[in-house]
Amino acid sequence: DRLSEDAMVGMQHAVLLDCMKAFVSSLLVGFEVTVVPDVGTDIGAKLTVDDDLTVLTLEVQTILRLLPLETLQCVGPSMEVAAIACPQVKRLDERCASMIVADDDISGWGHCLNLRFETPRARKFFVASMKVLLVGADPPAMPRERVHAA
């Protein structure tokens, strides 16, 4: 029985590792997202990460916004995170994820960065993968408030 439990944990670890490899590979190359600002219309953007996996870059047209992972306080579904952090944004739905940025000056869009994905499943994969990335980047002394419900 113990062997089957160990085998199951090993399989789960392998699946998580494969998912994270796919996520990081796509993030290194960059993928398209839609920024949902507090006011105005949605904006197409490209999201990438640096080779050290420490800084996200959001590219909107020719403007680059750097988001060091250490400044991200949490990431989660917008219906949960944004309801607390930026309730003024009314256009959020089940396809949206929100990232709470500790330093407003870094993002240029305020304390809450809202992204819309093609499907709820794509949003869920992004949120889960970002949580793993944030936990991996989180020094042991830092609080775990950065991880929010999926």
Side-chain angles (χ1 to χ4, degrees):
D1 213 1
R2 179 71 186 158
L3 180 60
S4 62
E5 186 178 317
D6 289 343
M8 184 65 103
V9 168
M11 288 174 34
Q12 290 171 341
H13 184 263
V15 169
L16 176 61
L17 194 58
D18 287 345
C19 288
M20 286 307 297
K21 283 180 184 177
F23 178 72
V24 169
S25 293
S26 65
L27 199 53
L28 284 166
V29 173
F31 54 82
E32 301 299 316
V33 295
T34 301
V35 176
V36 183
D38 292 351
V39 294
T41 59
D42 294 355
I43 305 164
K46 183 177 181 180
L47 188 66
T48 59
V49 71
D50 67 329
D51 291 339
D52 295 327
L53 306 179
T54 58
V55 179
L56 292 175
T57 300
L58 190 65
E59 182 179 345
V60 179
Q61 296 168 351
T62 59
I63 300 168
L64 300 178
R65 305 286 184 186
L66 301 180
L67 299 160
L69 291 184
E70 65 190 20
T71 67
L72 299 182
Q73 293 179 318
C74 81
V75 60
S78 293
M79 303 304 279
E80 297 170 19
V81 175
I84 298 164
C86 49
Q88 70 278 12
V89 182
K90 303 296 184 204
R91 300 180 328 276
L92 302 175
D93 58 33
E94 68 279 353
R95 297 176 299 150
C96 297
S98 295
M99 295 189 286
I100 307 300
V101 182
D103 185 355
D104 292 355
D105 296 332
I106 291 173
S107 72
W109 280 292
H111 195 68
C112 190
L113 176 61
N114 302 301
L115 303 175
R116 178 173 286 124
F117 295 87
E118 290 291 319
T119 65
R121 185 175 180 170
R123 185 265 311 152
K124 188 173 185 175
F125 181 71
F126 174 80
V127 167
S129 299
M130 281 300 300
K131 286 180 188 182
V132 172
L133 201 57
L134 288 175
V135 168
D138 211 2
M142 291 204 49
R144 297 292 173 183
E145 70 213 22
R146 294 170 54 179
V147 179
H148 210 274

